Amino acid sequence: MAGTALLMTAPFSHGDAQTAASTTEGSWMIRVRALSLTAANKSDAIPSLGVKADQITVSDKIFPDVDISYFFGKHLAAELVLTYPQQHDVKLGSTKIGHFKHLPPTLLAQYHVLPDAIVRPYIGVGVNLTLISDVDIAVPGVGRLDLEKSSVGVAGQVGADIRLAPGKFLNIDLKRVGIGSDVLLGSTKVSAVRVDPWLASVGLGVRF
């Protein structure tokens, strides 16, 4: 009888333990990550200047980011990704012609597939707002060029949180973000650049 009672209660106890573990995790999560930006570098040709398509490029970069997530339940969350303004070099072919800064906050809605597992994969989709500043670009014989001050684009995401200890996680994440800008000579559009970067990151998260 004692053995039968133990077998009957063991699964219930294990389930209770899993439920208790998941309910101790709060609704907020903060992650700090190292992020690698790889630009797609697509640009329109400028026939009047003898510039071919895709000759205007933006430098790749590694920089930190912080994201704040709020969980509406086990499966659904919202994530806001933040960093500080990042400076990128701009090249025309192999010649550096200047630089600019961009600030790219991104807001995503996420679905967490296995919210109670050790490895917790998720997918996300959202919107990116990139603010462009400190533009300093010039082409010899042509003059100074400018960029639009903002860009709005779609962002997609896949990633996973790996539980290291209660409330502590290793995070891996991959995003594709739509970022683009018209290139202006005075008030005239002379080209359009699509940065559209891949953003790969790894870091640590705390949920509370």
Side-chain angles (χ1 to χ4, degrees), residues 58-164:
V58 175
S59 60
D60 298 338
K61 192 164 187 179
I62 296 175
F63 55 90
D65 80 11
V66 174
D67 82 75
I68 302 169
S69 294
Y70 182 80
F71 287 78
F72 297 96
K74 282 190 173 187
H75 294 281
L76 298 179
E79 178 187 44
L80 177 62
V81 184
L82 302 169
T83 186
Y84 56 88
Q86 301 296 321
Q87 182 169 303
H88 294 268
D89 292 338
V90 179
K91 289 185 177 182
L92 179 57
S94 60
T95 303
K96 179 180 174 180
I97 59 173
H99 62 263
F100 70 95
K101 289 184 179 180
H102 86 294
L103 180 65
T106 305
L107 181 64
L108 300 121
Q110 294 176 335
Y111 182 79
H112 291 253
V113 181
L114 301 171
D116 296 321
I118 298 297
V119 178
R120 305 178 181 185
Y122 57 81
I123 57 174
V125 65
V127 62
N128 167 266
L129 169 64
T130 294
L131 304 176
I132 297 173
S133 62
D134 294 350
V135 179
D136 185 5
I137 302 172
V139 177
V142 176
R144 302 188 67 83
L145 300 177
D146 202 0
L147 301 173
E148 290 181 298
K149 301 307 179 186
S150 63
S151 169
V152 177
V154 175
Q157 173 190 48
V158 294
D161 292 307
I162 303 169
R163 186 175 181 272
L164 303 175

Side-chain angles (χ1 to χ4, degrees), residues 42 143 148-149 179 196:
K42 299 293 184 181
E148 290 181 298
K149 301 307 179 186
I179 300 176
D196 294 345

